Structure formats: C-alpha cells, structure tokens
Amino acid sequence: MSTTLAKAASSGFHDASAYDAHRPSYPDAAVDAFLGHLITPGTAADGKQGAQKIVEIGAGTGKFTEVLSRQAVQAAAKGSGQSLEILAVEPHEQMRAQLAAKKLPHVTVVDGHGANLSMVQDSAADAVIVAQAFHWFANYEALKEIHRVLKPGSSVGVVWNIEDYNKPRAWPAKVAWEQGLNDIIYSLAHDGSPRFRDGQWQEAFAEVAVPDAAANRPALYSPLADDRVYWTVQLTPKALWKRLLTLSQIANLPETGPNDEQEAAAGNTTQPTSRATVRRRFDAVLARDDVARNDKGEVTIHALTFFAWAQKLAA
C-alpha cells in the first residue's frame, strides 16, 4: 500500500505556520452536527464505558484537532468518568511539528498515513476522522486500513471547509465576484493532485459500500451520508490573499515568471504561470463594483462546512 505523501502537498504546505494562521477553523454548529454522527456521549462504540479513542488522520497543523481537544477537555470537566483521547496522525513533517508544539490536551501526535496506521491496534478506534485531507488518500487501501482500526459499528467521518472561491465548478457562488475568484482557481494548471472540488474522493466510498465478488472483497461500509452547514467570514483583501496562498496550486507557483508581461497583456485568457499573475487577477476581481465592503474594508466570504460519514460493516 502506498504511504507516500503527495508531492503537491509536501511542497505546497511547507509553510505550515502560514497554513495554520490563515486557514479557517470550523463553526460550532457544523462541529456539533458532524460529531453527533460519530460520537455517542458516554458510551464507546463497543458499548463499554470509558475513554473513547478518536483517530484523526491527516491532522495537519491541528485545525480540527483543536476542536477535538476542546471537546475532550469539556468531557473531562463534567466529571462523569467519560473522556476522549485523540491520536493525531500526520505525515507532513512541518505540519506535524506545528501541531505537536501546541501540546493540546488529550492529544497524542504521531507520524503516519491513511494507508498505514500500524501504530493503532485492530478494532481500537471509536471513530476515525479526516478533516480537510481525505481527497489526498481516497482509495481502497486507506479505507480498508481505517476499517481495520475501527471498532464494530463505529464510523469514519470526513469534513471540509469549502469557501466559494474554491468550490466545485457546479456549485453556484453566492455573489458574482466570488465566482470570479473561483474562475481564477480553475484557470490554474492542474497538477494531477486530487482535490475535494473534483469529487473523485466519493468514488472511494462508493467502491467499499458494495461487495466485489471478482476481487473477493466484501462491502466494508454503509453507503456514505452527508450534510453541510453554511457560514460566512469577513476578511480584508490582504487576509483573503494570504488564505489563497495556502492552496497548494498557488503556493507551488514561482513568485514571478518569464511570461508575466504576456499574461498581463492577455488579461484573464491565459493560464497563470506565476503567483504575480494570480495576484494581479485577484486584485482585479477585488476592484470590481459588486464587491461590498464593511467599514473596516473587509469583504464577506461565503462558505460551508461539508461533512460525510459511513459506518463500518463486518467484513
């Protein structure tokens, strides 16, 4: 099974501190709804009392791990004897270091990959969570490995924050200028890396929800269910640009390129080959008349938290 970190992720997320500073966290309403499908308060998936073990794969710098840690602290404060223990698995060295440095309560940080959870025993996890990362390893091998570590009847959950500038092409933008930003993202060269917006990650779940007699594979999970919670955030144009720079397709571009002048003359009709070209087009969108700003100069970004879950079946 492949445990290689995708090249685009390795290079695109090398500035882990920027990712941690500028990527959004998760709204409480979305967290409560998502975890409600995965964690039953007071009882582990096997029906026994005691600590619930959560494995988070692709934990990154800990944007969702922080949420889980707060949940664990709150559970401990109730004094009911119940608790959450989180194993945060992250293959990217810089991101893992950023997360470990936070020293989050009830969190153990380890090196690992979705297709290699050798540090977790069979049927040990009450839930497996993947936040903002499953598209990087959406394959049978990873879902089989997750199935191995889940307790009978427990579930795997995946969650993403999706802002309108980085949405799937078929999803309508709330306002026209945000569609303009989305068009910039789609004008970038495709580097071959999977992303949420291409929808291919769903195919991995579809594959494991039905038996494959030819390959002698039983169904591993129930059919995928999903939901979403909508939200907005106000950002200055500078902060919004820094958030776009955390996207690997932009982060991996050179700062300037030999074709910058030609790309400037061509307007928006050519594929950007540098961050300078992307920034020029970004500035042009933010200068449009339909961009509303508050008295702080901030613009409203429309977004949603998309989450999905599937229950382990007996293999």
Side-chain angles (χ1 to χ4, degrees):
M1 63 181 63
S2 173
T3 59
T4 302
L5 181 64
K7 182 179 180 180
S10 180
S11 58
F13 301 143
H14 72 278
D15 190 352
S17 61
Y19 185 100
D20 192 59
H22 301 298
R23 281 290 180 101
S25 186
Y26 299 83
D28 291 342
V31 170
D32 291 344
F34 178 51
L35 295 183
H37 293 288
L38 304 176
I39 302 173
T40 303
T43 305
D46 57 6
K48 297 179 180 180
Q49 299 295 309
Q52 292 185 309
K53 298 176 178 62
I54 311 301
V55 176
E56 185 192 3
I57 306 172
T61 62
K63 304 298 285 190
F64 200 84
T65 319
E66 292 174 332
V67 172
L68 293 173
S69 178
R70 290 195 296 271
Q71 295 275 337
V73 169
Q74 293 169 5
K78 292 179 180 179
S80 62
Q82 303 303 318
S83 61
L84 294 175
E85 295 298 329
I86 300 102
L87 182 70
V89 182
E90 174 52 49
H92 193 288
E93 182 178 358
Q94 289 88 350
M95 290 188 134
R96 188 171 64 252
Q98 185 89 15
L99 172 54
K102 294 179 179 180
K103 300 185 183 301
L104 298 173
H106 304 279
V107 174
T108 300
V109 182
V110 298
D111 184 9
H113 190 277
N116 184 3
L117 303 173
S118 57
M119 75 295 294
V120 185
Q121 296 180 348
D122 294 358
S123 301
D126 290 285
V128 171
I129 291 173
V130 189
Q132 216 74 24
F134 182 70
H135 53 278
W136 290 107
F137 51 90
N139 53 54
Y140 178 84
E141 289 75 16
L143 285 172
K144 183 178 180 182
E145 180 71 343
I146 292 169
H147 184 275
R148 178 186 67 80
V149 305
L150 281 170
K151 291 179 179 178
S154 54
S155 297
V156 55
V158 293
V159 58
W160 288 267
N161 282 327
I162 303 298
E163 290 154 309
D164 268 10
Y165 61 77
N166 196 30
K167 63 177 179 59
R169 191 185 294 273
W171 291 9
K174 299 298 185 300
V175 293
W177 73 265
E178 287 182 287
Q179 182 59 52
L181 292 185
N182 194 225
D183 292 342
I184 293 175
I185 299 301
Y186 275 99
S187 74
L188 296 167
H190 199 292
D191 56 12
S193 298
R195 291 178 169 85
F196 171 88
R197 63 178 182 263
D198 62 30
Q200 293 180 11
W201 64 271
Q202 297 178 75
E203 297 175 8
F205 275 104
E207 179 184 6
V208 297
V210 293
D212 185 340
N216 194 28
R217 291 178 178 175
L220 299 182
Y221 296 92
S222 63
L224 194 69
D226 65 70
D227 202 352
R228 61 198 70 189
V229 171
Y230 294 88
W231 48 275
T232 60
V233 62
Q234 283 70 46
L235 296 173
T236 64
K238 180 180 179 180
L240 177 56
W241 172 245
K242 288 183 176 180
R243 186 166 288 193
L244 263 68
L245 286 176
T246 67
L247 300 178
S248 60
Q249 271 182 293
I250 298 177
N252 285 328
L253 289 173
E255 181 59 39
T256 59
N259 300 321
D260 284 354
E261 290 186 8
Q262 295 94 313
E263 290 173 10
N268 296 333
T269 62
T270 60
Q271 177 180 291
T273 59
S274 71
R275 288 198 296 273
T277 295
V278 177
R279 178 58 191 265
R280 185 177 61 255
R281 295 178 184 178
F282 168 87
D283 289 342
V285 169
L286 268 292
R288 287 170 44 164
D289 293 339
D290 62 337
V291 179
R293 303 171 189 264
N294 63 18
D295 55 6
K296 297 179 181 179
E298 297 169 327
V299 297
T300 298
I301 304 301
H302 294 87
L304 60 86
T305 300
F306 179 98
F307 49 95
W309 61 97
Q311 188 176 44
K312 173 181 177 175
L313 303 177

